Amino acid sequence: MKWSKMLIQTLRENPGDAEIDSHKLLVRAGLVKKVAGGLYAYLPLGMRALKKVQQIVREEMDSTGAQEIVMPILQPAELWKTSGRWDLMGPNMFRLKDRAEHEAALGPTAEEEVTDVVKSIVSSYRQLPVTVYQIQWKFRDETRPRFGLMRSKEFLMKDAYSFDTDADGADKSYWTMYHAYERIFARCGLKAVPVQADGGDMGDSLTHEFHVLADAGEDGIAWCEKCGYAANLETAVAHVECDAAGEVCHAEIENAPTPAKTIEEMVKFFGVPATKMVKTLVYVADGKPVMFCVRGDRELNEVKAKHLAGAKVFALADFATVREVTGAPIGYAGPVRPQADVPIYADIELKGATGMITGGNLAGEIDLKNVSFERDCKIAAYADISIVQDGDKCAKCGGTLAIKRGIEVGQVFKLGTKYSDAFKAVYKTADLGENTIVMGCYGVGVSRTVQAIIEQSHDKDGIIWPAAVAPFAVVVDLLDPADAAVAKVAEDIERALEDANIDVIVDDREERPGVKFKDADLIGFPVRIVVGAKGLANGGVEIKRRCDSKDKTQIVAPGEAVERVKNLLAG
Ligand code: ATP
Ligand code: MG
């Protein structure tokens, strides 16, 4: 392939909306072009990388026996109403109507659709287990589309779904996919770690996310160096000591008027540490107000809180509700005698805590001192509802937890019978009884993976593609395109590489060498061959890996170039 014939545009300037390196490089290297916020066109170079990742995913899926299908992006509303997710998906789902006023959605995922398809075909245990997958565009009206392909409104996902006769079979399918994911990301040149995660509204059974650790990651991950425990902060647990807050205090509750609203202000005002304060938050769980308390130095974990409240729809209460529940101005909510009789849940760390400072639930800017949880508060339940922090103790081994950032590139889920129940996906057993199919679902963010590779593998000059997913494995920088003899050498190398199934682009543009080298580094082809009149006169062509320093450049005779490239790519 000749550079001059390809639709390539490299840019010197970073795009104005790019916050992270991979987003900047993606655009500057001419892999994608922004069409609108969260919407991108894949240019030829970007398309080649995307297709390579797709192909790895496809091969690994096929190797497990999963079968490729493709289903419509446009999904009838009835499917979503059957599962109850038409309402639950909220504004994240793109909705539309056809000319006959039939409601539909642009698929953000496809559990409903696939269950409907498979149950119409499978009727007997003899047809199970079966796993199907598709590589299909997905649509989500994200609150904050950003970071290029990382969080876009339209993205390419591989979604697989397993159908088994029982829980044991589903378990086997789950781990088969888990191991396939390990192979997929390794072949993409990615270090991706499996972490325990929250089932969300997909069911609440076993699930792992695969994360690429990077500062730019949107997810927090609790990580124990000692035992390898890794969990998304949404579900991560730490070893807690109850009443770690300190000594027993028998003093009576005291009103403490204070202008301080935030924990920071309170620490200054009272001159005591945040561990002696209580943060109280009011939420609305399925329409009913609920209160949650965590220690002042902690944050409430909304996922854990939502599960504890057993809620489907869960959000922070508005100011009016907070005032109604507490009877106090904003910033003065507490667990002692709220105005309304609402359930109060407290973090396990507060069990037995004494001498605490809390909001007053009084008509004024008043806090309370000397609060003892057992004595003064009516707590519905104590449970782990706080976010794990850096330095907390590992619940498994007592080691120290560190908080890292991760980019979620894939997730495997056990769904149980959530969707098969809703869609009555049943099969006839060997003894002519009837049973419900047990399901699992498995997603890879194919387009996000392309960018995660860049985020994990780049330097100040540009991308450093792992060979397996590079748009081209080799760039031949032809320095004197007008010199027929030199051009012929480049042409021969190009043909020989293609014969060896190594994809190559020849930079035949009438440009200065410096421009060519800069572009090659920016796009990040794994191997560069420089073919020029001067070099040839001195004995050959220059070969160098993108990640090697200049002094590692090798000079070889043109006829040896292909062998050398093979060695470098294998290394
Ligand atoms: P996130 O927590 O990042 O919003 P998710 O858990 O909602 O993702 P899944 O439903 O698990 O996403 O989808 C499977 C995969 O699709 C994810 O692991 C991720 O790699 C990818 N993905 C999800 N949302 C987006 C998006 N808006 N843009 C690009 N890729 C996405
Ligand atoms: Mg996920």
Side-chain angles (χ1 to χ4, degrees):
M1 177 62 79
K2 299 291 190 290
W3 192 304
S4 60
K5 302 277 182 296
M6 261 189 101
L7 189 67
I8 301 180
Q9 180 196 42
T10 57
L11 304 172
R12 295 286 157 246
E13 297 295 319
N14 286 319
D17 62 342
E19 298 165 61
I20 61 175
D21 288 352
S22 54
H23 183 187
K24 294 174 189 164
L25 291 172
L26 199 63
V27 176
R28 283 188 47 212
L31 301 174
V32 300
K33 190 101 202 161
K34 181 169 155 183
V35 172
L39 297 172
Y40 289 86
Y42 293 76
L43 300 175
L45 288 176
M47 195 61 204
R48 291 181 71 93
L50 188 73
K51 275 167 85 175
K52 289 195 175 176
V53 174
Q54 265 186 71
Q55 191 52 26
I56 290 173
V57 170
R58 185 172 279 123
E59 285 170 20
E60 291 301 335
M61 285 296 108
D62 291 347
S63 81
T64 66
Q67 298 161 55
E68 185 164 7
I69 61 172
V70 67
M71 296 181 289
I73 291 169
L74 194 60
Q75 304 182 4
E78 285 70 43
L79 293 176
W80 293 86
K81 288 181 178 164
T82 301
S83 70
R85 288 208 291 179
W86 181 254
D87 293 328
L88 279 182
M89 294 302 279
N92 240 34
M93 191 151 79
F94 283 104
R95 296 155 204 259
L96 63 163
K97 281 183 186 164
D98 68 11
R99 64 177 76 201
E101 295 283 303
H102 294 134
E103 288 178 305
L106 296 181
T109 174
E111 284 77 15
E112 284 80 355
E113 197 171 40
V114 78
T115 310
D116 197 49
V117 167
V118 171
K119 76 137 201 212
S120 69
I121 300 166
V122 170
S123 58
S124 157
Y125 72 97
R126 289 179 214 277
Q127 294 164 286
L128 296 171
V130 68
T131 297
V132 293
Y133 75 95
Q134 64 173 349
I135 301 176
Q136 178 63 293
W137 295 95
K138 300 289 185 295
F139 293 80
R140 293 185 187 178
D141 197 354
E142 298 279 359
T143 325
R144 262 191 92 192
R146 58 186 188 148
F147 299 157
L149 305 181
M150 292 276 194
R151 187 164 297 285
S152 44
K153 290 184 180 167
E154 178 176 9
F155 59 97
L156 193 59
M157 192 205 282
K158 183 285 300 176
D159 41 328
Y161 306 89
S162 63
F163 299 82
D164 278 274
T165 55
D166 56 21
D168 283 350
D171 190 62
K172 232 168 127 187
S173 298
Y174 181 88
W175 291 105
T176 299
M177 282 292 149
Y178 179 103
H179 294 307
Y181 276 32
E182 289 180 317
R183 294 193 299 274
I184 287 171
F185 297 121
R187 282 184 62 187
C188 288
L190 269 178
K191 273 194 214 97
V193 291
V195 312
Q196 294 170 24
D198 177 61
D201 60 1
M202 290 282 214
D204 38 25
S205 54
L206 186 64
T207 172
H208 286 89
E209 292 169 349
F210 285 76
H211 279 269
V212 171
L213 299 183
D215 291 341
E218 289 187 280
D219 286 288
I221 290 160
W223 180 280
C224 177
E225 204 79 58
K226 203 166 145 204
C227 72
Y229 171 75
N232 191 308
L233 278 188
E234 288 181 343
T235 49
V237 291
H239 172 78
V240 283
E241 274 143 30
C242 296
D243 191 23
E247 288 138 35
V248 179
C249 159
H250 297 292
E252 287 304 309
I253 290 190
E254 212 180 277
N255 286 8
T258 154
K261 286 189 185 60
T262 65
I263 294 288
E264 262 173 30
E265 289 164 357
M266 283 167 70
V267 166
K268 269 200 203 127
F269 184 83
F270 288 104
V272 294
T275 49
K276 295 305 293 180
M277 316 270 171
V278 174
K279 250 182 223 168
T280 306
L281 297 148
V282 184
Y283 277 76
V284 177
D286 291 336
K288 295 198 185 89
V290 192
M291 286 172 114
F292 296 95
C293 297
V294 293
R295 229 170 55 183
D297 59 324
R298 295 277 180 189
E299 297 297 333
L300 179 74
N301 182 320
E302 285 195 353
V303 173
K304 292 178 184 173
K306 182 181 173 189
H307 285 316
L308 186 63
K312 283 207 150 120
V313 182
F314 188 76
L316 259 178
D318 57 26
F319 287 169
T321 309
V322 176
R323 270 189 223 105
E324 224 170 87
V325 168
T326 63
I330 299 300
Y332 294 87
V336 182
R337 293 186 298 271
Q339 193 72 17
D341 187 19
V342 298
I344 307 173
Y345 296 103
D347 190 43
I348 188 78
E349 229 167 11
L350 289 169
K351 200 168 169 77
T354 66
M356 305 300 283
I357 298 174
T358 74
N361 294 336
L362 296 166
E365 297 188 335
I366 302 164
D367 285 328
L368 302 178
K369 288 196 333 193
N370 308 330
V371 173
S372 290
F373 265 72
E374 305 286 301
R375 184 189 64 189
D376 305 319
C377 314
K378 207 176 109 201
I379 301 298
Y382 289 94
D384 170 17
I385 50 169
S386 66
I387 300 178
V388 169
Q389 291 176 353
D390 202 73
D392 278 350
K393 266 195 197 157
C394 174
K396 262 176 113 182
C397 75
T400 307
L401 294 174
I403 308 300
K404 310 219 178 215
R405 309 298 309 167
I407 301 165
E408 182 195 322
V409 284
Q411 183 159 16
V412 289
F413 260 103
K414 275 194 185 179
L415 291 172
T417 57
K418 177 171 171 167
Y419 295 95
S420 28
D421 279 337
F423 283 85
K424 302 196 174 54
V426 294
Y427 65 93
K428 284 264 173 315
T429 58
D431 53 9
L432 296 181
E434 198 179 76
N435 238 334
T436 305
I437 295 175
V438 185
M439 289 175 58
C441 72
Y442 318 92
V444 170
V446 177
S447 44
R448 184 184 284 183
T449 296
V450 170
Q451 197 179 327
I453 294 168
I454 300 173
E455 190 61 39
Q456 199 171 69
S457 184
H458 69 274
D459 64 13
K460 63 172 190 357
D461 297 322
I463 304 167
I464 305 174
W465 285 106
V469 288
F472 290 95
V474 179
V475 59
V476 174
D477 278 342
L478 170 55
L479 299 191
D480 307 284
D483 182 328
V486 179
K488 167 83 170 45
V489 172
E491 187 85 36
D492 289 347
I493 292 176
E494 181 187 15
R495 194 153 322 123
L497 284 168
E498 279 170 353
D499 288 346
N501 270 328
I502 297 170
D503 47 10
V504 49
I505 181 166
V506 178
D507 190 350
D508 58 340
R509 294 173 298 168
E510 295 284 351
E511 287 283 2
R512 283 178 291 112
V515 171
K516 295 192 177 194
F517 297 157
K518 260 209 158 71
D519 278 345
D521 279 351
L522 174 62
I523 299 170
F525 307 106
V527 174
R528 184 179 84 189
I529 305 178
V530 180
V531 180
K534 213 162 111 197
L536 287 171
N538 285 333
V541 298
E542 284 178 18
I543 302 189
K544 158 182 171 319
R545 280 193 306 192
R546 169 66 178 81
C547 54
D548 286 337
S549 57
K550 239 199 182 131
D551 52 322
K552 276 217 175 152
T553 301
Q554 311 174 26
I555 313 278
V556 304
E560 286 167 29
V562 174
E563 271 317 298
R564 200 55 68 93
V565 167
K566 278 189 194 161
N567 286 341
L568 290 178
L569 288 176

